[in-house]
Amino acid sequence: MKRVRIGNGGGFWGDSLDAPVRLVREGRLDYLTLDYLAELTMSILAVQKQKNPALGYATDFLEVARSLIPYLRSQPQLKIITNAGGLNPKGCALAVRELFRQENLADVPIAVVGGDDLLPYLDELFARGHLLHHMDTGEPLAARRERVVSANAYLGARPIVEALRQGARVVITGRVADASLTVAPAAFAFGWGFGDADLDRLAAATVAGHLIECGAQVTGGLWTNASAHTRLADVGYPIVEMTEDGQFVVTKPPGSGGVVNLETVSEQLLYEVADPRAYYTPDVVVDFTAVTLEQQAEDVVAVRGACGIATTETYKVSAAYRDGYTAAGTLVIVGPDAVAKAQLSGQIILERLRQAGWVFERSYVEVLGAGDAVAGVLPRAVDPPEVVLRVAVHDHRREAVERFTRELAPLVTSGFAGTTGYTTGRPPVREVFAFWPALIAKSAVSPTVELLA
Amino acid sequence: MVPTTATAASADTTSTTTLSERRVVPLSALAHGRSGDKGNHANIAILAYTEAGYTFLCDYLTAERVAQYFAALRPSRVERYEAPNVRGLNFVLYDVLGGGASGSLRSDSQGKALAMALLRMPIPLPEQVNNTSSQ
């Protein structure tokens, strides 16, 4: 029976740079997927693109693509599907093509999947009645219009399938649903459609995509019972091996660290899920509770029984708008009464700023090591010998936040005995982008596929 | 499915064993878990190690109890979903992340620590439920 092997070598922008090569080297993959886009990554890319129109994509991917060149040569079956294109998939694809040319790898067809970016015609959408109401508050996005930096629909698998049909070996997309990066190669390889008869298979591939989209989170990363024996330093990234009926196993490269067992798979199955009976994607709505898991061999878990129903006529939209500035700084407080002294130190910082004329819209003091990471829920530590003081502020005045970043160091001489740990310098000021989830009619969005000549 | 939703805190009427007959263990003796974010909301998946443990937790670990346990984070509501295929209870805690990934001032802006916090919950265990540790 025909099998297809799909591996995920990265779950977010900032994930391991070495994982994709290690996965491709050991994984016997047909498809490598790389997910770069967390909820707010697009807003960061938007600001980069404003400064330089050639940017706006996950530049880490260029480094990864360079490292994969020998394998694109030696493994003719290997294809790469990634959402590294972010807000500029064409720019990303052109940069990859240039890179391949420099390395004399000119015969690799590269496709661009776009059409997810709504920002260029946002006002037109508003005018046509697509108001992008906030999914929680019901407010229309027009209320934030001047501050919106990005608005992207989560596309599904179909345009990626089309890109593969046109012969692409590297598919670079903007925003697509994470699981669709896996659904697309399965649908292409097995010739599935997107009709009612295909829903259970699409559901299975969606489960597969959901399980591997966060990289090592299904192979031992974040596993509750991970220990030194889990060998996370050498963690293998996940591979699904699927047959055309949609049944699949989750595994990882032989000899790699980490583990694939019923616990790692079931933890990831429910990761960032609301109702497990109705997991919505642009391709299908999946019932995760219909899935059965079986440990078939060491580091091999079989996943069966996924079922799906027809999806909605809307795409999810992730928009973001500018919402001021933030910074967070830390100091280490050692000694008797460390917790109380750290709390006081935090108050001293804010009081000195108040005396200098700066009162912040929001501020927050945490004493880490005392139980403040989940404050009021975790038990309080009894007389820890040392704690980390962390103070964070948020304000719409950049200069106020800048001023805050200069107020931590003085405590090293004018605070309590045992104040230390000011080694990283002033904390950076970061712009805040508020997240705006919405829905849009699929008919208002036109996915595009372009094979680079 | 219609989730069970926490409203006012309600008393536990599900068990026939009195509290004094029970041994108190942390939830981590019965289950493992993982948590994450969606905007300003968090989800916590709790997965029982055994069927007996799952049956017990379905009764005991109500949305109300979880809402009460995380009261300091001021959830606007807590919903619970069941996933019996993985012996899972999935809790969605609304508006608990202090603004969510970008705007939150907390070190745990994305709720990654919430599952570990919940696994410390003290659970009065009836004798008939054997707590089985992980594989």
Side-chain angles (χ1 to χ4, degrees):
Chain A
M1 191 185 270
K2 186 175 176 184
R3 289 169 198 278
V4 63
R5 283 169 69 88
I6 306 167
N8 181 282
F12 65 103
W13 191 0
D15 206 347
S16 165
L17 284 170
D18 303 320
V21 158
R22 292 176 53 183
L23 186 56
V24 163
R25 196 173 56 214
E26 312 289 342
R28 296 182 291 111
L29 299 184
D30 300 301
Y31 296 91
L32 171 70
T33 64
L34 297 162
D35 180 0
Y36 284 94
L37 303 180
E39 270 177 356
L40 283 163
T41 310
M42 288 303 220
S43 49
I44 297 159
L45 292 172
V47 171
Q48 293 179 358
K49 193 181 176 189
Q50 279 173 7
K51 290 178 186 156
N52 180 350
L55 293 179
Y57 58 87
T59 47
D60 274 13
F61 177 61
L62 294 183
E63 210 172 322
V64 169
R66 181 186 295 281
S67 69
L68 291 170
I69 285 172
Y71 304 95
L72 283 165
R73 283 207 175 93
S74 63
Q75 301 184 12
Q77 85 293 347
L78 179 68
K79 297 185 172 78
I80 300 169
I81 303 172
T82 179
N83 59 12
L87 280 175
N88 189 0
K90 180 80 177 272
C92 181
L94 291 173
V96 170
R97 185 174 69 175
E98 181 56 29
L99 174 71
F100 286 175
R101 280 179 176 166
Q102 284 167 13
E103 303 289 330
N104 295 315
L105 186 74
D107 54 348
V108 172
I110 302 169
V112 182
V113 169
D116 59 298
D117 188 357
L118 308 181
L119 198 63
Y121 59 106
L122 201 53
D123 294 314
E124 190 190 323
L125 286 172
F126 291 164
R128 282 161 49 202
H130 301 286
L131 301 180
L132 301 178
H133 296 281
H134 191 290
M135 283 173 75
D136 294 333
T137 66
E139 212 180 339
L141 183 60
R144 301 282 192 286
R145 178 64 189 98
E146 297 312 312
R147 290 149 68 194
V148 173
V149 292
S150 67
N152 295 77
Y154 285 82
L155 302 182
R158 282 186 226 212
I160 303 174
V161 172
E162 178 55 29
L164 293 168
R165 270 192 198 126
Q166 291 182 18
R169 273 189 81 192
V170 177
V171 182
I172 295 171
T173 78
R175 179 65 92 184
V176 300
D178 296 343
S180 299
L181 293 176
T182 300
V183 173
F188 170 70
F190 297 127
W192 301 342
F194 287 84
D196 287 348
D198 303 291
L199 291 173
D200 288 348
R201 294 181 295 203
L202 294 171
T206 299
V207 173
H210 172 72
L211 288 174
I212 66 173
E213 79 187 41
C214 294
Q217 280 189 203
V218 73
T219 55
L222 300 194
W223 178 34
T224 302
N225 292 303
S227 68
H229 301 295
T230 315
R231 290 174 51 217
L232 288 177
D234 192 29
V235 68
Y237 275 56
I239 300 165
V240 292
E241 184 174 289
M242 187 173 287
T243 52
E244 59 191 320
D245 56 2
Q247 316 276 351
F248 66 92
V249 298
V250 183
T251 186
K252 65 186 184 68
S256 60
V259 62
V260 180
N261 63 28
L262 298 179
E263 292 184 7
T264 67
V265 175
S266 51
E267 282 182 18
Q268 189 58 20
L269 185 69
L270 296 184
Y271 179 69
E272 291 185 351
V273 167
D275 181 355
R277 283 177 205 273
Y279 183 81
Y280 285 82
T281 79
D283 305 314
V284 62
V285 181
V286 188
D287 181 356
F288 281 3
T289 69
V291 165
T292 61
L293 307 178
E294 183 200 348
Q295 185 91 46
Q296 276 193 339
E298 191 180 356
D299 296 322
V300 181
V301 168
V303 182
R304 299 190 184 89
C307 62
I309 58 171
T311 192
T312 64
E313 286 306 308
T314 54
Y315 287 120
K316 185 172 176 188
V317 173
S318 174
Y321 63 92
R322 293 180 191 276
D323 195 23
Y325 301 88
T326 188
T330 59
L331 289 169
V332 176
I333 315 289
V334 183
D337 300 322
V339 175
K341 286 174 177 170
Q343 267 158 352
L344 275 171
S345 299
Q347 297 313 318
I348 289 168
I349 289 169
L350 295 173
E351 171 60 18
R352 287 178 179 170
L353 287 161
R354 193 190 64 76
Q355 289 174 11
W358 301 100
V359 175
F360 296 88
E361 292 166 19
R362 295 195 301 146
S363 61
Y364 194 63
V365 175
E366 285 175 313
V367 181
L368 301 171
D372 274 0
V374 191
V377 179
L378 290 172
R380 298 301 292 175
V382 178
D383 196 20
E386 66 197 17
V387 292
V388 173
L389 164 68
R390 182 177 179 278
V391 185
V393 299
H394 173 226
D395 203 283
H396 284 80
R397 300 163 298 171
R398 186 179 184 110
E399 62 275 23
V401 179
E402 295 278 6
R403 181 64 180 77
F404 159 78
T405 65
R406 305 172 70 164
E407 203 56 56
L408 287 124
L411 277 180
V412 174
T413 53
S414 64
F416 294 103
T419 300
T420 183
Y422 191 77
T423 52
T424 50
R426 282 177 200 156
V429 175
R430 185 170 61 75
E431 190 165 14
V432 173
F433 300 102
F435 173 60
W436 188 281
L439 297 173
I440 191 166
K442 281 182 174 170
S443 57
V445 179
S446 304
T448 61
V449 180
E450 180 189 357
L451 198 64
L452 288 195
Chain B
M1 119 185 203
V2 178
T4 53
T5 303
T7 48
S10 60
D12 173 29
T13 54
T14 55
S15 176
T16 52
T17 319
T18 64
L19 285 179
S20 59
E21 291 172 82
R22 297 182 182 191
R23 196 156 54 94
V24 174
V25 298
L27 178 57
S28 59
L30 296 173
H32 57 112
R34 182 170 295 184
S35 54
D37 68 320
K38 278 281 179 230
N40 195 27
H41 318 311
N43 90 299
I44 309 174
I46 294 296
L47 304 132
Y49 290 122
T50 65
E51 280 302 326
Y54 179 63
T55 305
F56 168 71
L57 289 177
C58 279
D59 281 342
Y60 184 82
L61 199 60
T62 58
E64 288 84 358
R65 276 218 163 83
V66 170
Q68 214 161 44
Y69 186 76
F70 285 106
L73 303 183
R74 298 166 178 255
S76 60
R77 71 181 197 275
V78 174
E79 287 176 351
R80 187 184 90 167
Y81 299 93
E82 296 171 12
N85 57 327
V86 288
R87 299 189 293 267
L89 294 173
N90 188 40
F91 298 91
V92 183
L93 284 65
Y94 288 85
D95 302 300
V96 290
L97 295 180
S102 173
S104 177
L105 297 182
R106 297 184 203 152
S107 42
D108 187 31
S109 57
Q110 292 181 276
K112 304 279 186 189
L114 298 182
M116 295 301 109
L118 185 52
L119 288 175
R120 300 186 72 116
M121 181 191 250
I123 305 286
L125 198 63
E127 286 303 325
Q128 60 267 31
V129 178
N130 292 320
N131 56 322
T132 308
S133 58
S134 90
Q135 48 187 269

